[in-house]
Amino acid sequence: MNIELVPLSKLSLSDLNVRKTERDADIASLADDIAEKGLKQNLIVVPNGKPGHFEVVAGGRRFQALQLLVERKALKPSHKVAVLIEAREDGVETSLSENLHRVAMNPADEFFAFKTIIDGADGETGDRVAYCAKRFGVTEAHVRGRLRLAGLADVVLEALRGNVINLTQAMAYASVSDTELQAKVFAKQAKNGWKPHDPDNVRSELKGKAYGSDNPKVKFIGLDAYIEAGGRLDRDLFTPNAIDLLLDTALVDKLVKTEFDKRKDKLAKKHKVEGVVLGSSSYQPGPTPEGWEAEYDWRGEKLKERQKAKLPTMISVYLDADGKLVMGDRIFVPAEPKAQEPERPQYRPMTDEERAAAQRASRIGLEAFRLAFPLTKGTAFEGRILLPAIGEWFRMDEQDDGYLLQAHVWVSKEELAAQLEAAGPIYDAWVEQEAVRKAEKQAAREAAEKVKEETVAKVRENPPAVISIETQYGDEFVLYRWEEGQYYDVPELNDGDDVDMGYESLAELLDDEPTILGHWDSIDAYEAHAEAQDAAATADTE
């Protein structure tokens, strides 16, 4: 292997180069770099079979950049470049080795490389940025963005160097230049268990501390007024068509109040009201003036009535998307005087005498319960009713015309055991009755299914004019067949609504709702059937 100088016209891109994708990526900027600084690294070539001609197997993008310079007439085709000549059989291996072992530069290193170049250049900042952009074949916006990224908070840069976050996430943090705010949002995002450092969430949190230039408040006061008052601007360098950010939100709010105070008297006079309040939206009317109360007035009818009657009224306005003052849906009317609530007696602990009196009243109530309980002598409950003794808790629920008193019934273990023998035959008889009932129900179901099948067949063969179809979910549809062949709800049975059920044919209807309980030739016949069913249902519940 040896290095020689070979004219560009005798070189060509080899098919042995393993890089098949992104061959043309950023060739223009690479050409600008070579034109500025020259070719810093030789190409690797192999003979192509023609004497003095070679194919480039490593350094293909550099070779393409040189060809572009020839097209621009910055170089001549005879321009000689340094090449390392290898045997053709080693070409693929050399190409693979060069591409396989290439390690991409960490984005943070790129930021600081741009910063170092610009800091070391002469002239104004804008000139230095323009020089750097031209030098590397990128836009000035790209260079300014890299400078912003180089100024990220230290914690964000370290995360980028350590591959904790990627370049897209770093650019989200750099959407504002406030490094303290960046660090604060980064710490919060690091604790997020779901999608930490998500670019959209990061931008949202960062910009939550600022007003965009498209904010209604900013449009109301004007961006120039904010700048004249000393307000600071920030710009998102990474989002296309991004808006300016106004960092001093308190100043914006102050300017809005000042501008509104200048206009509110004129607005009050225009609308013939006592005053105007600035709210944040149509339904958030702002602070309620003292002595007034807010009322809902969506259509403005109350305001018109009060204006006509010359009653004292205040209105609420808010800023629309264009920064213009518009009426809200709340008005203010004089507050009605509220009745003074009676003072509640303060808690006072009971004295010993009061506690004893309360205990006596409770015990007397218990004894009255025992005396009022119905006598059980001579009944099945004789000797079995257990009443609470004096001093025990008992339950007494007050009803409309009396009290529900709680007592207990006593049953011995021997008595319960004796009754178990009698309970067995009772249960067995119930099981037999249940089996008979289920069999009868199944037989009725099978008979009904048979009737349904016969009915469906009959309807398919000769569809009547009016059909009642009840689905398995209990929803009943009475359908009428129109001349077009479609089936509609019968208006008289559907509160006058003529609703298309969406079935194009009876066959489609029956395929979708196969359960047909009956069919009638007229509405009157169906209504008679429905009335009979209602009467039967009423009888079952009585």
Side-chain angles (χ1 to χ4, degrees):
M1 295 186 296
N2 58 318
I3 294 180
E4 296 183 9
L5 293 176
V6 177
L8 279 172
S9 59
K10 295 186 178 182
L11 298 177
S12 61
L13 194 61
S14 177
D15 289 337
L16 298 178
N17 192 316
V18 297
R19 181 186 285 272
K20 305 299 183 185
T21 59
E22 298 185 351
R23 281 186 171 185
D24 301 329
D26 209 17
I27 295 298
S29 62
L30 181 56
D32 292 337
D33 185 68
I34 293 174
E36 181 75 19
K37 298 295 184 180
L39 186 64
K40 300 294 186 180
Q41 186 178 359
N42 63 270
L43 309 179
I44 300 177
V45 300
V46 296
N48 72 347
K50 187 177 180 181
H53 288 73
F54 303 90
E55 295 178 359
V56 179
V57 295
R61 292 180 66 252
R62 280 169 277 151
F63 173 61
Q64 288 177 281
L66 291 168
Q67 287 181 313
L68 181 58
L69 291 175
V70 172
E71 292 179 12
R72 294 177 179 176
K73 300 187 183 304
L75 292 178
K76 295 180 178 180
S78 60
H79 178 78
K80 294 183 179 182
V81 295
V83 299
L84 176 64
I85 303 174
E86 289 189 341
R88 189 172 183 84
E89 55 268 22
D90 296 332
V92 173
E93 184 176 339
T94 298
S95 178
L96 177 61
S97 178
E98 182 190 59
N99 287 281
L100 187 61
H101 297 294
R102 179 181 297 164
V103 178
M105 178 186 295
N106 187 283
D109 296 332
E110 178 193 347
F111 310 156
F112 284 99
F114 273 109
K115 186 176 186 302
T116 301
I117 293 171
I118 289 187
D119 290 345
D122 297 327
E124 298 294 331
T125 301
D127 296 334
R128 286 180 284 163
V129 168
Y131 162 77
C132 190
K134 182 178 180 181
R135 165 72 178 77
F136 293 100
V138 295
T139 64
E140 293 186 26
H142 179 87
V143 176
R144 294 185 186 280
R146 266 38 189 177
L147 292 178
R148 171 73 69 82
L149 287 164
L152 279 168
D154 291 341
V155 65
V156 181
L157 278 173
E158 289 303 315
L160 180 62
R161 290 187 185 278
N163 296 318
V164 175
I165 63 174
N166 56 35
L167 178 58
T168 302
Q169 293 167 322
M171 292 167 71
Y173 280 104
S175 61
V176 299
S177 59
D178 188 338
T179 54
E180 291 185 7
L181 181 57
Q182 292 171 5
K184 184 177 180 180
V185 173
F186 182 89
K188 181 178 179 181
Q189 283 289 316
K191 298 177 182 179
N192 191 350
W194 184 74
K195 295 178 67 176
H197 309 292
D198 177 75
D200 290 337
N201 293 338
V202 169
R203 284 192 174 90
S204 177
E205 287 199 52
L206 290 171
K207 295 179 181 179
K209 311 297 182 182
Y211 288 136
S213 56
D214 61 347
N215 187 286
K217 291 184 177 181
V218 179
K219 293 181 178 180
F220 178 63
I221 62 174
L223 187 59
D224 292 340
Y226 170 80
I227 296 175
E228 289 176 6
R232 296 171 298 155
L233 282 178
D234 204 348
R235 179 162 295 171
D236 185 343
L237 302 178
F238 305 100
T239 305
N241 304 319
I243 58 176
D244 291 332
L245 297 177
L246 285 68
L247 302 179
D248 300 311
T249 55
L251 176 59
V252 173
D253 293 339
K254 180 181 177 181
L255 293 174
V256 167
K257 183 179 184 307
T258 301
E259 182 64 23
F260 175 71
D261 288 343
K262 294 178 182 177
R263 304 187 190 185
K264 63 181 182 180
D265 291 341
K266 186 176 181 180
L267 282 172
K269 186 176 180 180
K270 174 184 177 181
H271 293 283
K272 300 178 182 179
V273 293
E274 274 62 32
V276 183
V277 176
L278 179 61
S280 56
S281 67
S282 175
Y283 50 87
Q284 293 178 327
T288 302
E290 185 177 355
W292 298 76
E293 59 186 10
E295 285 191 2
Y296 181 69
D297 188 22
W298 177 45
R299 298 181 181 275
E301 295 175 355
K302 290 182 180 179
L303 176 60
K304 293 178 182 178
E305 293 175 359
R306 296 184 67 86
Q307 288 172 330
K308 186 176 182 180
K310 297 183 179 181
L311 296 175
T313 312
M314 295 181 70
I315 61 173
S316 172
V317 297
Y318 69 99
L319 295 170
D320 66 4
D322 295 325
K324 296 180 179 179
L325 292 170
V326 295
M327 290 277 291
D329 57 14
R330 300 291 192 278
I331 61 172
F332 297 97
V333 300
E336 295 291 338
K338 296 182 179 179
Q340 187 175 3
E341 295 184 2
E343 294 186 2
R344 297 182 179 180
Q346 296 183 348
Y347 171 76
R348 180 181 61 81
M350 297 175 66
T351 63
D352 293 341
E353 292 78 8
E354 290 172 335
R355 189 177 297 104
Q359 186 179 37
R360 181 176 185 276
S362 175
R363 298 294 171 81
I364 290 176
L366 173 60
E367 189 59 29
F369 161 54
R370 293 167 57 83
L371 295 174
F373 202 90
L375 298 178
T376 60
K377 188 174 182 179
T379 70
F381 293 103
E382 184 176 358
R384 298 182 183 275
I385 296 298
L386 301 180
L387 299 177
I390 292 179
E392 293 183 1
W393 178 87
F394 73 99
R395 180 171 177 175
M396 182 173 65
D397 296 328
E398 185 175 358
Q399 307 294 312
D400 292 339
D401 54 354
Y403 298 90
L404 183 64
L405 307 176
Q406 178 177 285
H408 298 276
V409 178
W410 171 264
V411 177
S412 68
K413 294 181 180 179
E414 293 77 8
E415 289 176 309
L416 181 60
Q419 295 301 332
L420 289 176
E421 296 182 5
I426 295 175
Y427 172 75
D428 294 337
W430 176 83
V431 169
E432 292 179 2
Q433 294 172 359
E434 187 68 11
V436 172
R437 187 187 67 81
K438 287 183 178 180
E440 292 175 348
K441 187 175 180 180
Q442 179 63 25
R445 185 182 297 112
E446 292 175 356
E449 290 295 330
K450 185 177 181 180
V451 171
K452 293 173 188 176
E453 291 176 2
E454 294 174 351
T455 304
V456 169
K458 184 176 181 180
V459 171
R460 287 183 186 276
E461 181 179 354
N462 185 22
V466 179
I467 311 170
S468 173
I469 295 181
E470 184 170 329
T471 70
Q472 57 184 334
Y473 304 109
D475 300 322
E476 190 170 57
F477 303 106
V478 177
L479 306 176
Y480 184 83
R481 187 182 184 190
W482 289 71
E483 292 181 357
E484 293 82 359
Q486 296 177 329
Y487 286 81
Y488 289 77
D489 276 349
V490 174
E492 292 83 354
L493 300 181
N494 198 32
D495 299 330
D497 294 332
D498 189 11
V499 182
D500 186 356
M501 299 301 295
Y503 299 110
E504 297 296 333
S505 67
L506 180 60
E508 180 183 345
L509 174 66
L510 296 178
D511 289 340
D512 189 37
E513 302 287 354
T515 305
I516 296 183
L517 298 184
H519 61 280
W520 298 268
D521 295 330
S522 67
I523 298 297
D524 293 339
Y526 168 76
E527 290 182 341
H529 165 76
E531 289 177 1
Q533 284 189 319
D534 291 342
T538 303
D540 289 341
T541 58
E542 292 178 350

